[in-house]
Amino acid sequence: MKLSMWTYEGPPHVGAMRIAASMTGVHYVLHAPQGDTYADLLFTMIERRQSRPPVTYTTFQARDLSGSTADIFKAACRDAVARFQPEALLVGASCTAELLQDDPAGLARTLDVPVPVVPLELPSYQKKEHWGAAETFYRLVRAFAGQVARPKDIAANTCNILGPTSLGFRCGDDVTEIMRLLTNEGLDVRVVAPLGASPADLARLPEAAFNIVLYPEIADTAARWLKKQHGMPFVSTVPIGVGATEAFLAEVRDLAGIRPKMAAGEGSSGRDRLTWYARSVDSNYLTNKRVFIFGDATHAIAAARIASEELGFRVCGLGTYMREFARDVREAAEKYGVEPLVSDDHLEIEAAIVAARPELVLGTQMERHIAKRLRVPCAVISAPVHVQDFPARYSPQMGFEGANVIFDNWVHPLMMGLEEHLLQMFRDDFEFNDGASASHLHSHVQAESIDLEETSQPETADERQVWTIDAERELKKVPFFVRGKARRNTELFAESKGIRPITVETLYDAKAHFAR
Amino acid sequence: MNRPLPSACATPATIRERGQHEVFCGLTSIIWLHRKVQDAFFLVVGSRTCAHLIQSAAGVMIFAEPRFATAIMEERDLAGMADMHDELDQVVARLLERRPDIRMLVLVGSCPSEVIKFDLVRAASRLNAQHAPRHRVIAYSGSGIETTFTQGEDNFLAALVEDQKLQTTDRSAAKLVVAGSLADVVEDQFSRIFSELGLPDVVFLPGRHATDGFAIGTETHYVLAQPYLGATAAALESCGAKRIDAIFPLGGEGTTAWLWAVASAFGVARAHFDKVVAQPRKRARQAIAHYRPTLEGSRIFLFPDSQLEPSLARFLHSELGAEIVEVGSPYLHREHVAGELALLPPGVSISEGQDVDIQIDRCRAAEPDLIVCGLGLANPFEAEGRTTKWSIEFAFTPIQGYEQAGDLAELFARPLIRSRLLAGRAAFPEAAQ
């Protein structure tokens, strides 16, 4: 049993629902107890979908357990097919139905329905949402692209886009942005799946020369299978960030045998604003800001690259909740010299953020809560997200426009440069002081919160005396967003030199020692 | 499974259906209970789905440190049962170490824990032996197979009453128990009225602190403030308490009838009662009058959700002049809502249970002016050009009592006003410029 205050991912059947809801012509019959229909409102409310997700639940109750829940399931399948007339039927169980062992897969074989039935085996007590989505997509691709023969003549510039789903982070706009870039390069995108695709579209997947995997957590399994089955190569560089987008386009051009329209080196000029914005002197103060990054593997790794190579931040923490992609995150973390954090225990992530003392947190909806508690600026870069991250305006993360969106979103929560300078010079202003947040973000009413500095305070009175009163007072003159770091560095320095107590001198000695 | 079962024994004729139920399970009630009872912590013993449900339903309301959590069962827990009690003990120990301020730990059963017959009541009494008196541990079921939405609160309150029986208390039995969680502001208003009526010893169940304690005896009367409390009523009666029969305190007239039922049970004179409630009653009438023009004659269809539907329909009909097309309720406790149903005009369809696709067909065919339904249906209906009022809000908003009668009317009027406002803008685009 695992104590969980927050879960980063839902159960695997929610992943399956996301695939069904992404596609057209697919209906999902889910053997589940009454109440599991809550998942509908992820789609109707968070994503503001205009129709009910294509899911029929058996919603059995306690009194049904004495009868035949298997019959309820079969009746639900027949009714769903009659009412919605889908091209394909997905059948599966939720966690409670898994315990009943009615075996939807076995029952599905005995169903006399006139459409193909794809049974799902999603182990709810082992796996989670993204695994469920990937498995469902793979099963569907296998079912519909498995029997078809690959045509002999395939134009080299044809490709499919795999991975975007309903309830994915900015998936819809990412697809628009990437389609535009690819079309501009002369590529012919045949099928986008699962978002917007029908089972018939899946059967056309082998007609393209290669696949593009935009979201590996959803489409990696299917792309690997298509490679094995039909010999289709795939691109798995995720085009989030300017550098990554250029690498992605180069890789795609390579596979498609297309020459670049522009000579190397001038490829990006004018196509994104991030490059110039980050170079302009106004962004000078962003240099080496400490940033903690957590999210799904794809977005976390991409964010770390943008943060360190394109915005000049320093990555002080990197992690993911996806064990399936732990290796990729470990590799990336090594590059930035930080300890990788692979965990779905939100208390552990909170502890890591407190320990890393970042000046900016890039994370999910949950890190937004942690950052709020710790009063650290924060931007959301990955699912799970809430309704505000399904915005009305065009806001991709991928491609060149995605980089523009990222520049604005990540810099926005930080205090502006001049504000930061003035705070350092004049600490006692009555309205523009240490405790106040960035002036464009909050009212002057100070929120009750836990200061990063507070959490690092020594526990016993004896340890407290390590700092002289003067040194404590001097420490308060360090701007609040780096004060926690300064305190820890000074204590580390004093300990390594055997200095006790810490004086004003020690504080400045440490500052010189650690100067960045 | 989609065939409606006609039922002759219920009056008025009830449509009883068995099919897909588009409702929340009882776990959802933790969302308001954990704010109401401030020293309690709700630990769901369930699956990842349960955890996901509560955090999705609670939405932005979740705090970095909410007073609820889930002990998520894993593969190895399902392998052997003896193991699970040890596992639970460890989870509870870790939790209580992190939150020593918790006075009452509530273990909440879910579908998975019930299907494998994991005995939480036994676990609670074992944990009680370990952690009492510092932490009290009780258990109830909020599973979807047993409970629908607000029924979770019912089971919690029943468990509180049962637990109270086990406690020795030197208090004398309360004169009046008001059962059903109410917004703090509503509770205060009722308290004031009760004291003006001269009724002392009123206990609200649940109280703001689970550890406050109360006593119930044969001289106790209880009145339900919420219509979904069948199990709680039974538990109270098993202690000897007597029910005061009343309709529910929604709207000005509903509140008056409810309060009078209580007052007359304690022998308060009608003249005194009228004097006490005269002013608030007038205020309620005045506030409701603002919204009557919007709702009068509107045809309203209510999907099942919280069991509040019969009371809401009665209020809409009798105080706002709306026409009721169908009243759906997940469950009808006939004795408790008899008064409400009697006040509905003849010809109103009453449905118990649900087959959501068939009910949607009926609703579309009826073309109501306003549909009261859950969040899974609301936006899809709106996208069809229909106007909806999402029903979960009635569980999260102060709606009972005189001072809230206008707010309750406004909840129904708002979507109608809004759709007229936005329709006007679309019709006259130049006016918006």
Side-chain angles (χ1 to χ4, degrees), chain A residues 1-2 4 6-7 34 37-38 40 44 50 52 57 59 62 64 79 83 95-96 126 347 366 369 386, chain B residues 2 18 20-23 47 49 52 55 62 70 72 75 77 87 111 144-145 148 357 361 375 379-380:
Chain A
M1 239 178 244
K2 193 170 165 228
S4 166
W6 271 110
T7 64
Q34 168 175 266
T37 50
Y38 81 87
D40 281 359
T44 59
Q50 297 201 328
R52 296 176 64 214
Y57 305 77
T59 58
D64 299 318
D79 288 346
R83 178 174 281 266
C95 49
T96 303
Q126 286 173 19
L347 299 177
M366 283 73 172
H369 288 290
H386 207 52
Chain B
N2 284 333
R18 170 68 188 91
Q20 177 176 327
H21 288 201
E22 183 83 20
V23 289
S47 64
T49 310
H52 194 238
Q55 89 183 37
I62 296 243
T70 311
I72 296 183
E75 191 84 84
D77 296 313
E87 290 274 319
C111 302
I145 57 176
T148 308
D357 288 317
D361 289 347
L375 289 175
N379 271 338

Side-chain angles (χ1 to χ4, degrees), chain A residues 1-14 33-38 40-42 44-46 48-53 55-65 71-73 75-76 79 83-84 94-96 98-100 123-129 344-347 350 365-366 369-370 373 384 386-388, chain B residues 1-2 17-25 41 43 45-53 55-57 59-60 62-66 68-78 84 87-88 91 94-95 98 111-113 115-116 118 143-148 151 356-358 360-361 375-381 383-384 392:
Chain A
M1 239 178 244
K2 193 170 165 228
L3 179 62
S4 166
M5 310 269 179
W6 271 110
T7 64
Y8 282 93
E9 293 184 73
H13 71 258
V14 169
Q34 168 175 266
D36 279 5
T37 50
Y38 81 87
D40 281 359
L41 60 93
L42 303 173
T44 59
M45 298 304 292
I46 295 179
R48 293 184 216 256
R49 189 186 162 98
Q50 297 201 328
S51 57
R52 296 176 64 214
V55 183
T56 294
Y57 305 77
T58 54
T59 58
F60 55 82
Q61 289 173 278
R63 58 166 185 242
D64 299 318
L65 297 181
D71 287 340
I72 293 179
F73 174 76
D79 288 346
R83 178 174 281 266
F84 299 103
S94 78
C95 49
T96 303
E98 192 183 327
L99 298 172
L100 300 182
S124 308
Y125 298 91
Q126 286 173 19
K127 303 291 190 183
K128 289 178 275 185
E129 179 178 337
D344 61 354
D345 181 344
H346 123 275
L347 299 177
E350 185 178 81
Q365 180 71 17
M366 283 73 172
H369 288 290
I370 297 171
R373 244 180 111 224
H386 207 52
V387 63
Q388 62 269 48
Chain B
M1 73 187 254
N2 284 333
E17 283 176 333
R18 170 68 188 91
Q20 177 176 327
H21 288 201
E22 183 83 20
V23 289
F24 281 130
C25 66
F41 192 102
L43 180 66
V45 180
S47 64
R48 182 168 298 282
T49 310
C50 308
H52 194 238
L53 157 90
Q55 89 183 37
S56 308
V60 288
I62 296 243
F63 304 87
E65 191 75 53
F68 58 79
T70 311
I72 296 183
M73 294 172 2
E74 292 165 318
E75 191 84 84
R76 60 196 181 90
D77 296 313
L78 301 171
M84 255 178 100
E87 290 274 319
L88 181 63
V91 165
R94 188 181 169 204
L95 180 65
R98 195 180 151 78
C111 302
S113 76
V115 165
I116 62 165
F118 183 38
S143 74
I145 57 176
E146 294 280 358
T147 59
T148 308
Q151 278 176 311
V356 72
D357 288 317
I358 289 175
I360 289 171
D361 289 347
L375 289 175
L377 302 178
N379 271 338
F381 272 136
E384 291 176 11
I392 298 102

Side-chain angles (χ1 to χ4, degrees), chain B residues 118-172:
Chain B
F118 183 38
D119 190 347
L120 282 184
V121 174
R122 211 183 74 195
S125 76
R126 188 189 59 240
L127 285 162
N128 228 341
Q130 281 174 32
H131 297 286
R134 177 146 188 82
H135 311 284
R136 185 124 197 104
V137 186
I138 65 168
Y140 76 91
S141 167
S143 74
I145 57 176
E146 294 280 358
T147 59
T148 308
F149 196 32
T150 47
Q151 278 176 311
E153 178 181 324
D154 186 22
N155 283 355
F156 170 61
L157 298 187
L160 273 184
V161 173
E162 292 298 331
D163 182 58
Q164 205 58 40
K165 278 194 208 166
L166 306 173
Q167 315 253 54
T168 46
T169 176
D170 42 6
R171 288 162 192 270
S172 54

Side-chain angles (χ1 to χ4, degrees), chain A residues 200-224:
Chain A
D201 291 329
L202 296 185
R204 293 195 295 117
L205 285 175
E207 293 171 18
F210 63 97
N211 290 314
I212 290 172
V213 177
L214 284 188
Y215 303 92
E217 65 275 11
I218 306 289
D220 197 54
T221 323
R224 280 175 201 284

